[in-house]
Amino acid sequence: NMTFGYVQSINQYFYFVENASIEGIDLMDSDWLVAYNNDIIVGSRQYTLGGNIDIPIMGYDNSSENTKIATEGYCKNGDFPIIRVHRPDGQIIEMDIIRIDGDLEFKGLGHATVVLKKD
C-alpha cells in the first residue's frame, strides 16, 4: 500500500482532474496522483476510474512557528505544482498538465480543472 504523506495546511488549492492518461490509456485505480513543489510532496490522491478526482495541493503556512516548520517548502502563491503518477510497479511518470478552467499556479484557495496526460 503506497502512502504519500503531507501536512494539512490552511492554504489549500485543488486540481480537479477530468481525465488522466498515459500514451492514450487511462490511469488505473492502483495509480496515485502526487503533487510536488520541487521535490516536496504537497498533496496526493489515489486515482479512481471515471475521473472527477481532486488533488489537494498544500501551501506554505507562516501563521505560527509550528506551521512554518511543518509546511516549509510547500507552495507559495504563483508556484506551479508538478504532478507525478506513482504506479504500483515503482514507475514514476511526470505528467503534462492541461488547463481546462482556472489557474494552474498555486493560490491560497480555489481550484483549477485540468487534464493530465503523457504522450
Side-chain angles (χ1 to χ4, degrees):
N1 186 17
M2 292 189 272
T3 55
F4 301 97
Y6 56 93
V7 175
Q8 290 282 338
S9 168
I10 57 166
N11 300 313
Q12 300 188 9
Y13 197 65
F14 290 87
Y15 278 178
F16 291 158
V17 180
E18 276 191 356
N19 182 271
S21 62
I22 295 171
E23 293 172 359
I25 299 164
D26 279 349
L27 297 190
M28 298 171 290
D29 286 345
S30 51
D31 292 329
W32 278 81
L33 297 168
V34 184
Y36 289 84
N37 190 42
N38 298 312
D39 282 322
I40 295 173
I41 293 176
V42 293
S44 63
R45 185 77 78 216
Q46 190 167 0
Y47 188 76
T48 49
L49 218 55
N52 296 328
I53 296 124
D54 61 322
I55 307 173
I57 301 164
M58 299 296 146
Y60 179 65
D61 175 6
N62 64 359
S63 60
S64 76
E65 275 313 304
N66 284 347
T67 60
K68 272 184 192 174
I69 293 163
T71 62
E72 182 62 44
Y74 280 26
C75 291
K76 294 184 174 153
N77 286 358
D79 283 345
F80 286 88
I82 296 162
I83 305 296
R84 295 185 178 121
V85 171
H86 287 252
R87 308 207 104 159
D89 64 4
Q91 259 190 308
I92 300 169
I93 300 148
E94 189 162 321
M95 300 296 279
D96 297 322
I97 304 168
I98 296 135
R99 184 184 83 83
I100 304 298
D101 189 44
D103 292 313
L104 292 184
E105 66 264 24
F106 179 85
K107 297 180 168 150
L109 72 156
H111 69 273
T113 305
V114 302
V115 167
L116 302 175
K117 61 188 283 197
K118 189 69 181 183
D119 294 325

